[in-house]
Coordinates of all heavy atoms in Angstrom, one line a residue:
V1293 N 49.9 -1.3 -28.0 CA 49.0 -0.9 -26.9 C 49.5 -1.3 -25.5 O 49.5 -0.5 -24.6 CB 47.6 -1.6 -27.2 CG1 46.6 -1.3 -26.0 CG2 47.0 -1.1 -28.5
S1294 N 50.1 -2.5 -25.4 CA 50.6 -2.9 -24.1 C 51.8 -2.1 -23.7 O 52.0 -1.8 -22.5 CB 51.0 -4.4 -24.3 OG 51.6 -4.9 -23.1
A1295 N 52.7 -1.8 -24.7 CA 53.8 -0.9 -24.4 C 53.4 0.5 -23.9 O 54.1 1.1 -23.1 CB 54.7 -0.8 -25.6
W1296 N 52.3 1.0 -24.4 CA 51.8 2.3 -24.0 C 51.0 2.3 -22.7 O 51.3 3.1 -21.8 CB 51.0 2.9 -25.2 CG 50.3 4.2 -24.9 CD1 50.9 5.3 -24.4 CD2 49.0 4.5 -25.1 NE1 50.0 6.3 -24.3 CE2 48.8 5.9 -24.7 CE3 47.9 3.8 -25.6 CZ2 47.5 6.5 -24.8 CZ3 46.7 4.5 -25.7 CH2 46.5 5.8 -25.3
L1297 N 50.0 1.4 -22.6 CA 49.1 1.4 -21.5 C 49.5 0.6 -20.3 O 49.0 0.8 -19.2 CB 47.7 0.9 -22.0 CG 46.8 1.8 -22.8 CD1 45.5 1.1 -23.1 CD2 46.5 3.1 -22.1
G1298 N 50.4 -0.3 -20.6 CA 50.7 -1.3 -19.5 C 49.9 -2.6 -19.7 O 49.0 -2.6 -20.5
R1299 N 50.3 -3.6 -19.0 CA 49.6 -4.9 -19.1 C 48.2 -4.9 -18.6 O 47.3 -5.4 -19.3 CB 50.4 -6.0 -18.4 CG 51.9 -6.1 -18.6 CD 52.4 -5.8 -20.0 NE 53.9 -6.1 -20.1 CZ 54.6 -5.6 -21.0 NH1 54.2 -4.7 -21.9 NH2 55.9 -5.9 -21.1
R1300 N 48.0 -4.3 -17.5 CA 46.6 -4.4 -16.8 C 45.6 -3.7 -17.6 O 44.5 -4.2 -18.0 CB 46.7 -3.8 -15.4 CG 45.4 -4.0 -14.6 CD 45.6 -3.7 -13.2 NE 45.9 -2.3 -12.9 CZ 45.3 -1.6 -12.0 NH1 44.4 -2.1 -11.2 NH2 45.6 -0.3 -11.8
W1301 N 45.8 -2.4 -18.0 CA 44.8 -1.6 -18.7 C 44.6 -2.1 -20.2 O 43.5 -2.0 -20.7 CB 45.1 -0.1 -18.7 CG 44.8 0.4 -17.3 CD1 45.8 0.9 -16.4 CD2 43.5 0.6 -16.7 NE1 45.1 1.3 -15.3 CE2 43.8 1.2 -15.4 CE3 42.2 0.4 -17.1 CZ2 42.8 1.5 -14.5 CZ3 41.2 0.7 -16.2 CH2 41.5 1.2 -15.0
T1302 N 45.6 -2.7 -20.7 CA 45.5 -3.3 -22.0 C 44.5 -4.5 -22.0 O 43.6 -4.7 -22.9 CB 46.8 -3.8 -22.6 OG1 47.7 -2.7 -22.7 CG2 46.7 -4.5 -23.9
L1303 N 44.6 -5.3 -20.9 CA 43.6 -6.4 -20.8 C 42.2 -5.9 -20.6 O 41.3 -6.5 -21.1 CB 44.1 -7.3 -19.6 CG 45.3 -8.1 -19.8 CD1 45.7 -8.9 -18.5 CD2 45.1 -9.1 -21.0
V1304 N 42.0 -4.8 -19.8 CA 40.7 -4.3 -19.7 C 40.1 -3.8 -21.0 O 39.0 -4.1 -21.4 CB 40.7 -3.0 -18.7 CG1 39.4 -2.3 -18.7 CG2 41.1 -3.5 -17.3
A1305 N 40.9 -3.2 -21.8 CA 40.5 -2.7 -23.1 C 40.1 -3.8 -24.1 O 39.0 -3.8 -24.7 CB 41.6 -1.8 -23.8
F1306 N 40.9 -4.9 -24.1 CA 40.6 -6.0 -25.0 C 39.4 -6.8 -24.5 O 38.7 -7.4 -25.3 CB 41.9 -6.9 -25.2 CG 42.8 -6.3 -26.3 CD1 44.0 -5.8 -25.9 CD2 42.4 -6.3 -27.6 CE1 44.9 -5.3 -26.9 CE2 43.3 -5.8 -28.6 CZ 44.5 -5.3 -28.2
T1307 N 39.2 -6.9 -23.2 CA 38.1 -7.6 -22.7 C 36.8 -6.8 -23.1 O 35.8 -7.5 -23.4 CB 38.2 -7.7 -21.1 OG1 39.4 -8.4 -20.8 CG2 37.0 -8.5 -20.6
A1308 N 36.8 -5.5 -23.1 CA 35.7 -4.7 -23.5 C 35.3 -5.0 -25.0 O 34.2 -5.2 -25.4 CB 35.9 -3.2 -23.3
V1309 N 36.4 -5.1 -25.8 CA 36.2 -5.4 -27.2 C 35.6 -6.8 -27.4 O 34.6 -6.9 -28.2 CB 37.5 -5.3 -28.0 CG1 37.4 -5.8 -29.4 CG2 38.0 -3.9 -28.0
F1310 N 36.1 -7.7 -26.7 CA 35.6 -9.1 -26.7 C 34.1 -9.1 -26.4 O 33.3 -9.8 -27.0 CB 36.3 -10.0 -25.8 CG 35.7 -11.3 -25.6 CD1 35.9 -12.4 -26.5 CD2 34.8 -11.6 -24.6 CE1 35.3 -13.6 -26.4 CE2 34.1 -12.8 -24.4 CZ 34.4 -13.8 -25.3
S1311 N 33.7 -8.4 -25.3 CA 32.3 -8.4 -24.9 C 31.3 -7.9 -25.9 O 30.2 -8.4 -26.1 CB 32.2 -7.6 -23.6 OG 33.0 -8.1 -22.6
I1312 N 31.8 -6.9 -26.7 CA 30.9 -6.4 -27.8 C 30.7 -7.5 -28.8 O 29.5 -7.7 -29.2 CB 31.6 -5.2 -28.4 CG1 31.7 -4.0 -27.5 CG2 30.8 -4.7 -29.7 CD1 32.6 -2.8 -28.0
G1313 N 31.7 -8.2 -29.1 CA 31.5 -9.3 -30.1 C 30.6 -10.4 -29.5 O 29.8 -11.0 -30.3
A1314 N 30.7 -10.7 -28.2 CA 29.9 -11.7 -27.6 C 28.4 -11.3 -27.7 O 27.5 -12.2 -27.9 CB 30.3 -11.9 -26.1
V1315 N 28.1 -10.1 -27.5 CA 26.7 -9.6 -27.6 C 26.2 -9.8 -29.0 O 25.1 -10.2 -29.2 CB 26.6 -8.1 -27.1 CG1 25.2 -7.5 -27.4 CG2 26.9 -8.0 -25.6
L1316 N 27.0 -9.4 -30.0 CA 26.5 -9.6 -31.4 C 26.2 -11.0 -31.7 O 25.2 -11.3 -32.4 CB 27.6 -9.0 -32.3 CG 27.9 -7.5 -32.3 CD1 29.1 -7.2 -33.2 CD2 26.6 -6.8 -32.8
T1317 N 27.0 -12.0 -31.3 CA 26.7 -13.4 -31.6 C 25.5 -13.8 -30.9 O 24.7 -14.7 -31.4 CB 27.9 -14.3 -31.3 OG1 28.3 -14.1 -29.9 CG2 29.1 -14.0 -32.1
T1318 N 25.3 -13.3 -29.7 CA 24.2 -13.8 -28.9 C 22.8 -13.3 -29.5 O 21.8 -14.1 -29.4 CB 24.3 -13.3 -27.4 OG1 25.5 -13.7 -26.9 CG2 23.2 -13.8 -26.6
V1319 N 22.8 -12.1 -30.0 CA 21.5 -11.6 -30.5 C 21.2 -12.0 -32.0 O 20.2 -11.6 -32.5 CB 21.5 -10.0 -30.4 CG1 21.7 -9.6 -29.0 CG2 22.5 -9.4 -31.4
A1320 N 22.1 -12.8 -32.6 CA 21.9 -13.2 -34.0 C 20.6 -14.1 -34.0 O 20.2 -14.8 -33.1 CB 23.1 -14.0 -34.5
G1321 N 20.0 -14.2 -35.2 CA 18.8 -15.0 -35.4 C 17.6 -14.1 -35.8 O 17.6 -12.9 -35.6
G1322 N 16.6 -14.8 -36.4 CA 15.5 -14.0 -36.9 C 15.9 -13.1 -38.0 O 16.5 -13.5 -39.0
S1323 N 15.5 -11.8 -37.9 CA 15.9 -10.8 -38.9 C 17.4 -10.5 -38.9 O 17.9 -10.0 -39.9 CB 15.1 -9.5 -38.7 OG 15.4 -9.0 -37.5
R1324 N 18.0 -10.8 -37.8 CA 19.5 -10.6 -37.7 C 20.1 -12.0 -38.1 O 20.2 -12.9 -37.3 CB 19.9 -10.2 -36.3 CG 19.3 -8.9 -35.9 CD 19.7 -8.5 -34.5 NE 19.1 -9.4 -33.5 CZ 17.9 -9.2 -33.0 NH1 17.1 -8.1 -33.4 NH2 17.3 -10.0 -32.2
G1325 N 20.6 -12.1 -39.3 CA 21.0 -13.3 -39.9 C 22.4 -13.8 -39.4 O 22.9 -13.2 -38.4
I1326 N 23.0 -14.7 -40.1 CA 24.2 -15.3 -39.7 C 25.4 -14.3 -39.7 O 26.4 -14.5 -39.1 CB 24.5 -16.6 -40.5 CG1 25.5 -17.4 -39.7 CG2 25.0 -16.2 -41.9 CD1 25.7 -18.8 -40.3

Side-chain angles (χ1 to χ4, degrees):
V1293 177
S1294 178
W1296 174 49
L1297 284 180
R1299 312 319 189 205
R1300 188 168 65 136
W1301 286 109
T1302 298
L1303 287 177
V1304 171
F1306 277 110
T1307 303
V1309 171
F1310 169 84
S1311 299
I1312 294 171
V1315 170
L1316 290 174
T1317 55
T1318 303
V1319 301
S1323 61
R1324 296 178 293 273
I1326 200 166

